[in-house]
């Protein structure tokens, strides 16, 4: 068997293990229902006030919700393995560290996919009430998937830094909120006011923040720079995670 199929087979095995663990413990059901209820409730409040058959308000709130819910998905990925020492058993498998990490990412993204599917009833609703822009809906979901992938990769990396799930959750949530809120104009203005010469707020918004790269997708545009931000950011965090796993194995 060639190296690539063996690598992917190992990653899928790890992903299946992660998903089974989530569903066996009812975590998947609880998280999905809670996310669906909260995201839909927030959107419906704004929808009836605005009266527009579109999901812009829904997509705009997702990054903040991701900062709360996605750390809950990834917090146990490595932290629980370290606490129960099952990571030592996992690392004895004849798998490359990158395959193990990517498998955990796929498992987490599979659960996150249920969060995205929770928005489909809203799509049906806006189509029944009007004629929304289908292209904007597609790019909105694409941007949401990419933002979720980045935050999941961040969560896996943070989970590998501790054997305590709560610590992993807090690290991921704080880092996630930092990426999201540094793109908020009000936060940018405050940071720029505190450091007028450096322009810290503008610097973070232009080079690091998630929101300015997410907004074009919500507006119906796929920009190369934004696409590279999410793809390369996710890949870089997963690579760092794999390097740490290799170090733990040695």
């Amino acid at each position: 068997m060639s190296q690539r199929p063996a690598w992917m087979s190992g990653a899928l095995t790890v992903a299946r293990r992660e998903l089974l663990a989530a569903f066996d413990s009812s975590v998947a059901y609880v998280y999905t229902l809670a996310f669906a209820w909260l995201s839909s409730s927030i959107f419906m409040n704004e929808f009836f006030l605005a009266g527009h058959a579109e999901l812009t308000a829904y997509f705009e709130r997702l990054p903040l919700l991701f900062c709360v819910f996605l750390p809950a998905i990834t917090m146990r990925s490595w932290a629980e393995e370290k606490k129960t020492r099952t990571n030592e058993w996992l690392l004895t498998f004849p798998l490359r560290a990158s395959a193990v990490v990517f498998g955990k990412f796929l498992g987490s993204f599979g659960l996150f996919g249920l969060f995205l599917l929770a928005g489909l009833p809203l799509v049906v609703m806006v189509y029944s009430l009007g004629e929304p822009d289908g292209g904007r809906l597609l790019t909105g979901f694409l941007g949401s998937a990419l933002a979720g992938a980045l935050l999941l990769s961040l969560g896996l990396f943070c989970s590998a830094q501790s054997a305590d799930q709560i610590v992993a959750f807090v690290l991921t949530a704080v880092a996630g909120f930092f990426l999201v809120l540094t793109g908020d104009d009000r936060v940018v203005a405050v940071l720029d006011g505190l450091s007028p010469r450096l322009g810290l707020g503008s610097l973070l918004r232009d080079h690091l923040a998630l929101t300015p790269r997410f907004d074009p997708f919500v507006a119906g545009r796929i920009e190369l720079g934004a696409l590279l931000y999410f793809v390369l950011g996710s890949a870089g965090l997963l690579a760092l995670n794999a390097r740490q796993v290799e170090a733990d194995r040695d």
Side-chain angles (χ1 to χ4, degrees):
M1 183 179 293
S2 64
Q3 187 176 13
R4 181 173 297 178
W7 185 92
M8 182 56 70
S9 177
L12 291 176
T13 298
V14 174
R16 191 179 305 113
R17 173 178 177 267
E18 294 292 305
L19 282 173
L20 287 175
F23 281 99
D24 284 346
S25 62
S26 301
V27 167
Y29 307 104
V30 173
Y31 288 173
T32 302
L33 289 174
F35 179 85
W37 174 79
L38 186 58
S39 60
S40 298
S41 298
I42 293 174
F43 167 71
M44 293 304 292
N45 288 336
E46 297 191 18
F47 175 78
F48 286 113
L49 289 174
H52 300 300
E54 58 180 28
L55 293 183
T56 300
Y58 174 76
F59 291 124
E60 288 176 344
R61 300 296 180 271
L62 288 185
L64 284 174
L65 291 177
F66 288 169
C67 291
V68 176
F69 282 90
L70 298 197
I73 293 179
T74 59
M75 66 181 184
R76 62 179 298 276
S77 294
W78 287 111
E80 183 68 13
E81 299 272 18
K82 289 184 176 183
K83 183 177 180 180
T84 59
R85 304 187 72 84
T86 53
N87 65 313
E88 297 177 0
W89 168 75
L90 182 62
L91 296 178
T92 61
F93 284 13
L95 297 175
R96 295 177 60 182
S98 57
V100 177
V101 170
F102 189 63
K104 283 185 171 288
F105 170 77
L106 286 179
S108 300
F109 195 85
L111 180 52
F112 168 65
L114 296 179
F115 291 5
L116 296 179
L117 290 176
L120 292 183
L122 298 179
V123 175
V124 175
M125 183 192 73
V126 295
Y127 266 105
S128 66
L129 296 176
E131 298 181 357
D133 186 332
R136 290 186 66 174
L137 291 176
L138 289 175
T139 58
F141 277 108
L142 174 61
S144 301
L146 290 170
L150 178 64
L151 294 174
L152 288 173
S153 301
L154 176 64
L156 289 172
F157 176 75
C158 291
S159 181
Q161 310 309 310
S162 173
D164 189 309
Q165 293 188 50
I166 302 303
V167 172
F169 177 91
V170 172
L171 284 175
T172 307
V174 169
F177 277 117
F178 177 81
L179 288 177
V180 172
L181 293 178
T182 49
D184 187 288
D185 290 338
R186 292 164 295 184
V187 175
V188 171
V190 170
L191 293 176
D192 281 346
L194 293 174
S195 55
R197 291 187 178 182
L198 179 61
L200 180 60
S202 298
L203 191 67
L204 291 173
R205 178 194 60 200
D206 295 341
H207 299 285
L208 187 64
L210 181 151
T211 314
R213 282 83 188 176
F214 178 72
D215 288 343
F217 290 94
V218 178
R221 305 189 308 274
I222 299 177
E223 297 181 354
L224 179 60
L227 190 62
L228 290 176
Y229 169 86
F230 288 115
V231 173
L232 296 181
S234 300
L237 287 166
L238 292 177
L240 288 174
N241 197 174
R243 287 190 63 181
Q244 182 164 356
V245 172
E246 284 286 7
D248 292 342
R249 176 179 280 172
D250 296 337

